[in-house]
Amino acid sequence: MKTTGWIAVAAFCMTTAGCATFDGMSNAEKGAVIGAGVGALGGAVATDGGVLGTVGGAAVGGVIGNEVGKRRR
């Protein structure tokens, strides 16, 4: 895996670990955080560590996760 891929994985880990107040977040916020992490990881894998794919995946994943989170109770 390229360095960019490892950076994406590290960013995902830090994001999830940094959410110490995860219990205090709304479902939409939780969905956005998880979706952005999964999207970044997927985008990095799909583009072989490409920055555009990683950022694009994070953006799309965050939006989708936010919308899915809004519908969860």
mmCIF file of all heavy atoms in Angstrom, residues 33-54:
data_model
loop_
_atom_site.group_PDB
_atom_site.id
_atom_site.type_symbol
_atom_site.label_atom_id
_atom_site.label_comp_id
_atom_site.label_asym_id
_atom_site.label_seq_id
_atom_site.Cartn_x
_atom_site.Cartn_y
_atom_site.Cartn_z
ATOM 1 N N VAL A 33 -19.356 10.557 10.529
ATOM 2 C CA VAL A 33 -17.976 10.216 10.900
ATOM 3 C C VAL A 33 -17.609 8.834 10.381
ATOM 4 O O VAL A 33 -16.552 8.645 9.750
ATOM 5 C CB VAL A 33 -17.796 10.277 12.441
ATOM 6 C CG1 VAL A 33 -16.481 9.669 12.865
ATOM 7 C CG2 VAL A 33 -17.893 11.707 12.919
ATOM 8 N N ILE A 34 -18.469 7.877 10.610
ATOM 9 C CA ILE A 34 -18.187 6.511 10.159
ATOM 10 C C ILE A 34 -18.174 6.445 8.642
ATOM 11 O O ILE A 34 -17.294 5.828 8.038
ATOM 12 C CB ILE A 34 -19.213 5.536 10.758
ATOM 13 C CG1 ILE A 34 -19.018 5.452 12.273
ATOM 14 C CG2 ILE A 34 -19.100 4.159 10.120
ATOM 15 C CD1 ILE A 34 -20.112 4.736 13.010
ATOM 16 N N GLY A 35 -19.140 7.110 8.000
ATOM 17 C CA GLY A 35 -19.194 7.117 6.541
ATOM 18 C C GLY A 35 -17.977 7.758 5.906
ATOM 19 O O GLY A 35 -17.448 7.272 4.900
ATOM 20 N N ALA A 36 -17.495 8.858 6.496
ATOM 21 C CA ALA A 36 -16.305 9.522 5.962
ATOM 22 C C ALA A 36 -15.081 8.627 6.090
ATOM 23 O O ALA A 36 -14.259 8.550 5.168
ATOM 24 C CB ALA A 36 -16.069 10.844 6.677
ATOM 25 N N GLY A 37 -14.950 7.943 7.218
ATOM 26 C CA GLY A 37 -13.813 7.038 7.401
ATOM 27 C C GLY A 37 -13.840 5.869 6.438
ATOM 28 O O GLY A 37 -12.837 5.550 5.798
ATOM 29 N N VAL A 38 -15.000 5.258 6.314
ATOM 30 C CA VAL A 38 -15.133 4.120 5.398
ATOM 31 C C VAL A 38 -14.972 4.582 3.952
ATOM 32 O O VAL A 38 -14.320 3.916 3.140
ATOM 33 C CB VAL A 38 -16.487 3.417 5.616
ATOM 34 C CG1 VAL A 38 -16.753 2.378 4.547
ATOM 35 C CG2 VAL A 38 -16.523 2.780 6.999
ATOM 36 N N GLY A 39 -15.538 5.737 3.630
ATOM 37 C CA GLY A 39 -15.410 6.271 2.267
ATOM 38 C C GLY A 39 -13.976 6.609 1.915
ATOM 39 O O GLY A 39 -13.515 6.349 0.804
ATOM 40 N N ALA A 40 -13.241 7.186 2.859
ATOM 41 C CA ALA A 40 -11.830 7.506 2.618
ATOM 42 C C ALA A 40 -11.021 6.244 2.399
ATOM 43 O O ALA A 40 -10.178 6.183 1.504
ATOM 44 C CB ALA A 40 -11.259 8.298 3.791
ATOM 45 N N LEU A 41 -11.292 5.254 3.215
ATOM 46 C CA LEU A 41 -10.583 3.983 3.064
ATOM 47 C C LEU A 41 -10.917 3.332 1.727
ATOM 48 O O LEU A 41 -10.030 2.876 1.008
ATOM 49 C CB LEU A 41 -10.938 3.054 4.220
ATOM 50 C CG LEU A 41 -10.181 1.745 4.294
ATOM 51 C CD1 LEU A 41 -8.685 2.006 4.424
ATOM 52 C CD2 LEU A 41 -10.673 0.926 5.472
ATOM 53 N N GLY A 42 -12.190 3.319 1.383
ATOM 54 C CA GLY A 42 -12.600 2.742 0.096
ATOM 55 C C GLY A 42 -12.044 3.503 -1.086
ATOM 56 O O GLY A 42 -11.593 2.918 -2.072
ATOM 57 N N GLY A 43 -12.053 4.834 -1.000
ATOM 58 C CA GLY A 43 -11.505 5.647 -2.078
ATOM 59 C C GLY A 43 -10.009 5.454 -2.238
ATOM 60 O O GLY A 43 -9.483 5.410 -3.353
ATOM 61 N N ALA A 44 -9.307 5.299 -1.117
ATOM 62 C CA ALA A 44 -7.858 5.071 -1.169
ATOM 63 C C ALA A 44 -7.548 3.725 -1.801
ATOM 64 O O ALA A 44 -6.622 3.602 -2.610
ATOM 65 C CB ALA A 44 -7.255 5.153 0.226
ATOM 66 N N VAL A 45 -8.329 2.722 -1.448
ATOM 67 C CA VAL A 45 -8.098 1.387 -2.013
ATOM 68 C C VAL A 45 -8.440 1.378 -3.497
ATOM 69 O O VAL A 45 -7.701 0.821 -4.313
ATOM 70 C CB VAL A 45 -8.926 0.332 -1.243
ATOM 71 C CG1 VAL A 45 -8.923 -0.997 -1.958
ATOM 72 C CG2 VAL A 45 -8.392 0.170 0.181
ATOM 73 N N ALA A 46 -9.566 2.004 -3.865
ATOM 74 C CA ALA A 46 -10.010 1.989 -5.256
ATOM 75 C C ALA A 46 -9.057 2.730 -6.186
ATOM 76 O O ALA A 46 -8.911 2.358 -7.348
ATOM 77 C CB ALA A 46 -11.405 2.601 -5.363
ATOM 78 N N THR A 47 -8.407 3.775 -5.687
ATOM 79 C CA THR A 47 -7.517 4.571 -6.537
ATOM 80 C C THR A 47 -6.051 4.313 -6.239
ATOM 81 O O THR A 47 -5.199 5.110 -6.631
ATOM 82 C CB THR A 47 -7.821 6.071 -6.373
ATOM 83 O OG1 THR A 47 -7.610 6.450 -5.014
ATOM 84 C CG2 THR A 47 -9.235 6.406 -6.798
ATOM 85 N N ASP A 48 -5.786 3.230 -5.538
ATOM 86 C CA ASP A 48 -4.411 2.848 -5.198
ATOM 87 C C ASP A 48 -3.694 3.969 -4.441
ATOM 88 O O ASP A 48 -2.555 4.315 -4.729
ATOM 89 C CB ASP A 48 -3.628 2.442 -6.453
ATOM 90 C CG ASP A 48 -2.363 1.673 -6.118
ATOM 91 O OD1 ASP A 48 -2.339 0.986 -5.083
ATOM 92 O OD2 ASP A 48 -1.393 1.768 -6.893
ATOM 93 N N GLY A 49 -4.403 4.538 -3.480
ATOM 94 C CA GLY A 49 -3.797 5.564 -2.641
ATOM 95 C C GLY A 49 -3.857 6.965 -3.205
ATOM 96 O O GLY A 49 -3.191 7.858 -2.690
ATOM 97 N N GLY A 50 -4.659 7.180 -4.235
ATOM 98 C CA GLY A 50 -4.765 8.509 -4.827
ATOM 99 C C GLY A 50 -5.436 9.498 -3.892
ATOM 100 O O GLY A 50 -6.416 9.174 -3.219
ATOM 101 N N VAL A 51 -4.912 10.693 -3.850
ATOM 102 C CA VAL A 51 -5.441 11.715 -2.948
ATOM 103 C C VAL A 51 -6.870 12.084 -3.326
ATOM 104 O O VAL A 51 -7.743 12.192 -2.466
ATOM 105 C CB VAL A 51 -4.537 12.968 -2.952
ATOM 106 C CG1 VAL A 51 -5.147 14.076 -2.129
ATOM 107 C CG2 VAL A 51 -3.156 12.619 -2.447
ATOM 108 N N LEU A 52 -7.130 12.265 -4.606
ATOM 109 C CA LEU A 52 -8.461 12.649 -5.062
ATOM 110 C C LEU A 52 -9.482 11.567 -4.707
ATOM 111 O O LEU A 52 -10.585 11.869 -4.244
ATOM 112 C CB LEU A 52 -8.456 12.914 -6.571
ATOM 113 C CG LEU A 52 -9.750 13.438 -7.166
ATOM 114 C CD1 LEU A 52 -10.120 14.773 -6.508
ATOM 115 C CD2 LEU A 52 -9.602 13.628 -8.664
ATOM 116 N N GLY A 53 -9.116 10.313 -4.894
ATOM 117 C CA GLY A 53 -10.018 9.222 -4.545
ATOM 118 C C GLY A 53 -10.275 9.142 -3.057
ATOM 119 O O GLY A 53 -11.393 8.877 -2.610
ATOM 120 N N THR A 54 -9.240 9.382 -2.265
ATOM 121 C CA THR A 54 -9.380 9.339 -0.810
ATOM 122 C C THR A 54 -10.282 10.466 -0.322
ATOM 123 O O THR A 54 -11.213 10.232 0.455
ATOM 124 C CB THR A 54 -8.002 9.436 -0.137
ATOM 125 O OG1 THR A 54 -7.169 8.393 -0.631
ATOM 126 C CG2 THR A 54 -8.114 9.328 1.359
#
